[in-house]
Amino acid sequence: MKNISSRRISNTPFKLFVENAGVKNYTIYNRTYLATVFDTLESDYLHLNEYVQIWDVCCQKQIEISGNNALDFIQKFTPRDLSVLNLDKCLYIPIVNQFGKIMNDPVIYKIENNKYRLSMSDSDLYFFFQGFSLGLDINLCIPEVYTIAIQGPKSELLIRKVFGKNISNINNFQIKKTIFNDNEILISKTGFSSFGGYEIYIYNIETSKNLWEKFFLLGKEFNLRVGCPNLIDRIEGGLLSYGNDMDFNDTVLESGLERFCDLNSDINCIGIESLRNELKGGIKKIIKYFLIEGGNLGICDKPWDIMHDKKKIGYITSSAYSPSLKQNVSIGMINFEFSQIKGKIEIVTPLGIYLSKIYSKPLKYLRNFREA
Amino acid sequence: MKNISSRRISNTPFKLFVENAGVKNYTIYNRTYLATVFDTLESDYLHLNEYVQIWDVCCQKQIEISGNNALDFIQKFTPRDLSVLNLDKCLYIPIVNQFGKIMNDPVIYKIENNKYRLSMSDSDLYFFFQGFSLGLDINLCIPEVYTIAIQGPKSELLIRKVFGKNISNINNFQIKKTIFNDNEILISKTGFSSFGGYEIYIYNIETSKNLWEKFFLLGKEFNLRVGCPNLIDRIEGGLLSYGNDMDFNDTVLESGLERFCDLNSDINCIGIESLRNELKGGIKKIIKYFLIEGGNLGICDKPWDIMHDKKKIGYITSSAYSPSLKQNVSIGMINFEFSQIKGKIEIVTPLGIYLSKIYSKPLKYLRNFREA
């Protein structure tokens, strides 16, 4: 894939660092390169869960929304109450259309009064917002932002070493401004790994490269490696991937994200009435977690049917073999009436039919690592 | 890239055919695999321009718009007059926002009364339409469509052999229904190569595979090969690539697509007023074609500055070395006041500064092939 970059598919400032670290494969996320594996999925996973990794996640493109009505505009698209937002805090917000279907699931943060940014998952939310913005007094743009993630159990030690305790000891979903190389940067305690970590938003290419190099220099003692979101880890951690586990065909409630919905509040969200009705009428399907028996079944590149009593009752959307659980950890969508089955169900994989159990919690609590 | 497919990035029914034909590289287009090279860019190009190729272009995802107001809804987003549309005819339509900026440039065709489909270039037009559709009585969906392109000077002979003269002798941008394997399919005289050809829309996976195999069987005498859109050929043909040559930062007029705009008609398009004003006030920049001297400068993965009298006057967006022109054929955006310069300008490429001339017509008329 290296030589097919074009203006349509972009590289990031960290391309050389990632290649020198021996990246083996990429995917494309928001039309940007994102590494998927460095050594093997399994050894990347084991390292991530013990030490600390630095990730190039510039593919989490951002949308900036500004203007007097910026917050009202954003509130229109999320069932989560945004009135709690402040300069110290970011939020994971499902974005919905008028049917309560999920269009993206970004992290939002506030830059200053009447100016917000959304760090996106893989869908063109900018187009959705453009479609709505006709006649409204708001400004939309896609600012230059370069995002580094520092993830894994040793991430706090590394952040402390680079930025001091004031930054490293922020709480989950807190966000703080700091200065690096005379440039303002933002650090939040967020990220796409089960052990958590930090994400850093940088607004200048040179600064982003210098910071990457500084992390690398100071990270040796914590066994820092260049890494990337790890499929096994994200499934065990219950971290949903937009486009894999849910998309605009699924509602926020079906996506198991009810805890991020304030359906009893009187916020003005275009999808809230539809979601309230869904809750009243009964949710039809819901995302659950699965442990599938058998050896390594590979990854899931199209839905694997979930069967019960010879009837299809759902489908697996993400799967990977877990070296710590010695089974296939999976995420899938299952008809609600079957979502509490205690016994075994059957999964139709490309390698045959295998037995599975349904879990309501992410699977990471089953594994035998020391959690951070 | 083969093993990173997921539900988020999809394969197509033709994956095995493409791999057996020796595909060397892919890009991702509308979150779907699209081959970019089979032998070399140059030899793929020479073959395409002499014989006929079969392409897997399932990545041209489609949006279906239906309902009583479907046509009015679509007309809102294009400055091209859609009243000429009928069941026999498809149209290339730039899609615009309220500022006249280009959001996609699909081909539209009519399925039946009040039902239309748009075969898209690489942007989430579905999200843009969703954003607008709030409260409107229209239906949007993404139907199952598998698209094969038959391209190159021998494509007419091949189509005649498979479907007969009634189909093969349709005019450019005509579209016809026919039956294959008891399934209705659609064939249009369209496509993304300079010699033209046909695109075929199939609505069933098995039928699509059977048709591919039939083409392959009957195509031997025309030296049919599996191919893909060719960068050199598309630049010479002046075929713009959304995301490369223009995107939502550029207006339709800046994209050189004025001939697809009916700005004097009284159609109800959200961007038409803005485009009329732009035309009156003077277009600021415009897409032109360039021949850059020097050896093979490689492809353009970020903009190359165009310089004149030590001032930046534009940027190259697509470039490739042409074996027939022995220079680098390119597309770029240039400040309007400089777009008619007859003398040489300078291009800042990663390999150094090279001289170039500006052309107002696509470069294919310069090459020494026999045109079909």
Side-chain angles (χ1 to χ4, degrees):
Chain A
M1 286 281 297
K2 281 173 212 169
N3 57 342
I4 62 99
S5 285
S6 65
R7 291 233 309 153
R8 197 173 56 73
I9 309 251
S10 31
N11 281 305
T12 80
F14 311 122
K15 183 186 182 192
L16 262 181
F17 300 128
V18 167
E19 304 224 322
N20 290 340
V23 62
K24 293 250 172 64
N25 220 336
Y26 292 102
T27 186
I28 305 290
Y29 196 97
N30 282 327
R31 295 180 180 79
T32 306
Y33 280 90
L34 170 65
T36 55
V37 64
F38 281 83
D39 183 18
T40 66
L41 217 47
E42 292 74 19
S43 74
D44 288 359
Y45 162 88
L46 293 171
H47 178 271
L48 174 63
N49 282 299
E50 192 158 1
Y51 303 107
V52 54
Q53 293 184 356
I54 182 167
W55 299 354
D56 168 6
V57 285
C58 293
C59 64
Q60 294 175 187
K61 298 259 182 209
Q62 301 202 356
I63 301 180
E64 181 177 296
I65 299 131
S66 58
N68 285 332
N69 307 312
L71 193 64
D72 292 341
F73 181 83
I74 305 164
Q75 184 68 77
K76 259 191 163 159
F77 303 105
T78 181
R80 186 160 189 188
D81 187 347
L82 296 181
S83 65
V84 297
L85 210 55
N86 60 44
L87 288 169
D88 241 21
K89 192 172 188 163
C90 49
L91 293 175
Y92 171 81
I93 54 168
I95 297 286
V96 298
N97 68 8
Q98 63 268 43
F99 311 112
K101 308 266 182 173
I102 188 160
M103 307 301 276
N104 199 294
D105 59 337
V107 166
I108 186 173
Y109 63 102
K110 182 174 179 172
I111 293 275
E112 55 188 63
N113 273 340
N114 298 323
K115 189 181 272 189
Y116 300 85
R117 287 192 174 162
L118 275 62
S119 179
M120 290 187 288
S121 59
D122 183 32
S123 82
D124 274 350
L125 194 52
Y126 185 74
F127 271 53
F128 184 58
F129 285 172
Q130 277 266 323
F132 256 99
S133 67
L134 184 61
L136 298 179
D137 183 25
I138 60 127
N139 304 307
L140 294 172
C141 73
I142 297 190
E144 199 179 349
V145 180
Y146 308 104
T147 306
I148 294 173
I150 301 292
Q151 301 286 306
K154 298 272 166 72
S155 57
E156 192 173 333
L157 292 173
L158 177 58
I159 291 290
R160 191 191 304 168
K161 196 164 170 193
V162 176
F163 293 108
K165 227 174 165 175
N166 263 349
I167 298 291
S168 70
N169 66 8
I170 58 177
N171 296 322
N172 280 339
F173 280 84
Q174 247 197 299
I175 186 163
K176 268 210 166 168
K177 273 186 197 160
T178 185
I179 302 287
F180 181 78
N181 270 13
D182 297 329
N183 277 285
E184 200 169 80
I185 63 174
L186 280 172
I187 303 187
S188 61
K189 198 155 185 195
T190 54
F192 213 59
S193 79
S194 68
F195 276 99
Y198 303 80
E199 288 178 302
I200 305 165
Y201 304 135
I202 308 140
Y203 308 107
N204 172 284
I205 289 192
E206 282 317 304
T207 301
S208 76
K209 288 185 188 174
N210 292 340
L211 181 56
W212 183 288
E213 282 171 335
K214 180 149 190 185
F215 274 124
F216 222 75
L217 211 65
L218 298 184
K220 283 209 173 74
E221 64 171 296
F222 310 115
N223 196 9
L224 175 73
R225 274 196 213 158
V226 181
C228 55
N230 181 277
L231 184 65
I232 308 165
D233 177 73
R234 84 144 180 96
I235 295 174
E236 290 182 2
L239 299 163
L240 304 183
S241 161
Y242 188 84
N244 273 317
D245 301 313
M246 77 294 199
D247 63 20
F248 52 76
N249 295 301
D250 309 304
T251 70
V252 180
L253 299 176
E254 290 169 346
S255 306
L257 300 173
E258 193 178 335
R259 66 193 183 283
F260 301 109
C261 299
D262 296 305
L263 297 186
N264 292 322
S265 74
D266 63 350
I267 54 173
N268 183 18
C269 160
I270 57 167
I272 203 166
E273 211 38 54
S274 184
L275 291 170
R276 284 176 188 147
N277 288 334
E278 185 185 358
L279 208 54
K280 257 185 265 163
I283 299 168
K284 298 221 165 29
K285 55 181 183 177
I286 192 149
I287 282 180
K288 291 284 173 185
Y289 309 97
F290 300 83
L291 262 183
I292 310 177
E293 299 176 0
N296 189 337
L297 298 169
I299 61 171
C300 177
D301 66 355
K302 40 185 158 178
W304 296 348
D305 286 354
I306 303 174
M307 308 294 290
H308 180 65
D309 275 349
K310 289 175 182 151
K311 266 199 346 226
K312 180 180 165 181
I313 59 166
Y315 48 93
I316 299 294
T317 55
S318 296
S319 188
Y321 186 77
S322 166
S324 59
L325 295 177
K326 311 278 183 226
Q327 290 192 61
N328 299 276
V329 291
S330 310
I331 299 176
M333 187 71 83
I334 189 164
N335 297 351
F336 196 83
E337 53 183 305
F338 297 100
S339 62
Q340 300 298 330
I341 293 181
K342 296 282 171 243
K344 300 223 168 154
I345 51 173
E346 292 169 324
I347 312 290
V348 186
T349 82
L351 299 182
I353 298 175
Y354 289 87
L355 293 175
S356 175
K357 274 188 72 179
I358 308 172
Y359 292 81
S360 283
K361 279 203 296 184
L363 305 165
K364 70 175 177 177
Y365 75 93
L366 296 171
R367 66 194 184 188
N368 47 8
F369 295 127
R370 172 187 50 77
E371 296 274 346
Chain B
M1 287 282 298
K2 280 172 212 171
N3 57 342
I4 63 97
S5 286
S6 65
R7 292 233 308 154
R8 197 172 56 73
I9 309 253
S10 29
N11 281 305
T12 82
F14 311 122
K15 183 186 182 191
L16 262 181
F17 300 129
V18 167
E19 303 224 323
N20 290 340
V23 62
K24 292 249 172 66
N25 220 335
Y26 292 102
T27 186
I28 304 291
Y29 195 97
N30 282 325
R31 295 181 180 78
T32 307
Y33 279 89
L34 170 65
T36 55
V37 65
F38 282 83
D39 184 18
T40 66
L41 218 48
E42 294 73 21
S43 74
D44 288 359
Y45 161 88
L46 293 170
H47 178 271
L48 174 62
N49 281 299
E50 192 157 1
Y51 304 106
V52 54
Q53 293 183 357
I54 182 167
W55 299 354
D56 168 6
V57 284
C58 293
C59 63
Q60 294 174 186
K61 298 260 180 205
Q62 301 201 357
I63 301 180
E64 181 177 294
I65 299 131
S66 59
N68 286 333
N69 306 313
L71 193 64
D72 292 341
F73 182 82
I74 305 165
Q75 185 67 77
K76 261 192 162 160
F77 304 103
T78 181
R80 187 163 188 186
D81 186 349
L82 296 181
S83 65
V84 298
L85 210 56
N86 60 44
L87 288 168
D88 243 20
K89 193 173 188 161
C90 50
L91 293 176
Y92 171 81
I93 54 167
I95 297 286
V96 298
N97 69 6
Q98 62 268 43
F99 310 112
K101 307 266 180 174
I102 189 161
M103 306 300 277
N104 198 294
D105 59 338
V107 166
I108 186 173
Y109 63 102
K110 181 175 179 170
I111 294 274
E112 56 188 62
N113 275 339
N114 297 325
K115 190 182 270 190
Y116 299 85
R117 287 191 175 164
L118 275 63
S119 179
M120 290 187 287
S121 59
D122 183 32
S123 81
D124 275 348
L125 194 50
Y126 184 74
F127 272 53
F128 185 56
F129 285 172
Q130 277 264 325
F132 255 98
S133 67
L134 184 62
L136 297 179
D137 183 26
I138 60 127
N139 303 308
L140 294 172
C141 72
I142 297 190
E144 199 179 348
V145 180
Y146 307 103
T147 305
I148 295 173
I150 301 291
Q151 301 287 307
K154 299 272 165 71
S155 57
E156 192 172 333
L157 292 173
L158 177 58
I159 292 291
R160 191 191 303 168
K161 196 165 171 194
V162 176
F163 292 109
K165 226 175 164 173
N166 264 349
I167 298 290
S168 69
N169 65 8
I170 57 176
N171 296 322
N172 280 340
F173 280 85
Q174 248 196 299
I175 186 163
K176 268 208 165 170
K177 272 186 196 161
T178 186
I179 301 287
F180 181 77
N181 270 13
D182 297 329
N183 276 287
E184 200 169 80
I185 62 173
L186 281 172
I187 304 188
S188 61
K189 200 156 183 195
T190 53
F192 213 60
S193 78
S194 69
F195 276 100
Y198 303 80
E199 287 177 302
I200 305 164
Y201 304 133
I202 309 139
Y203 308 106
N204 172 285
I205 288 192
E206 281 318 304
T207 302
S208 75
K209 287 185 187 174
N210 292 340
L211 181 56
W212 183 288
E213 281 169 336
K214 180 149 191 186
F215 274 123
F216 222 76
L217 211 65
L218 298 182
K220 285 211 172 72
E221 64 171 295
F222 309 116
N223 196 9
L224 175 73
R225 274 197 213 158
V226 182
C228 55
N230 180 278
L231 184 66
I232 309 166
D233 177 73
R234 84 144 180 95
I235 295 174
E236 288 183 5
L239 299 163
L240 304 184
S241 161
Y242 188 83
N244 273 317
D245 301 313
M246 75 294 199
D247 64 20
F248 53 76
N249 295 301
D250 309 303
T251 71
V252 180
L253 300 176
E254 290 169 346
S255 306
L257 300 173
E258 192 178 334
R259 66 193 183 283
F260 301 109
C261 298
D262 296 303
L263 297 187
N264 293 322
S265 74
D266 63 351
I267 54 173
N268 183 16
C269 161
I270 57 166
I272 203 165
E273 212 38 55
S274 184
L275 291 170
R276 285 176 187 147
N277 288 336
E278 186 184 356
L279 208 54
K280 258 185 265 164
I283 299 169
K284 298 220 164 30
K285 56 182 183 177
I286 191 149
I287 281 180
K288 292 284 171 183
Y289 309 98
F290 301 83
L291 263 182
I292 311 177
E293 300 176 0
N296 189 336
L297 297 171
I299 60 171
C300 176
D301 66 355
K302 41 186 157 177
W304 296 348
D305 285 354
I306 303 174
M307 307 294 291
H308 181 64
D309 276 348
K310 289 175 186 152
K311 267 199 347 227
K312 181 180 165 181
I313 59 166
Y315 49 92
I316 298 295
T317 54
S318 295
S319 188
Y321 185 78
S322 166
S324 59
L325 297 177
K326 311 276 182 228
Q327 289 192 62
N328 299 277
V329 292
S330 311
I331 299 176
M333 188 69 84
I334 189 165
N335 297 351
F336 197 83
E337 52 182 307
F338 296 100
S339 62
Q340 300 298 330
I341 293 179
K342 296 283 171 245
K344 301 222 167 152
I345 51 171
E346 292 169 325
I347 312 290
V348 185
T349 81
L351 300 183
I353 298 175
Y354 289 88
L355 294 174
S356 175
K357 274 188 72 180
I358 308 173
Y359 292 81
S360 284
K361 281 203 295 184
L363 304 166
K364 69 175 176 177
Y365 76 93
L366 296 171
R367 64 193 184 187
N368 46 9
F369 295 127
R370 173 187 49 78
E371 295 274 348

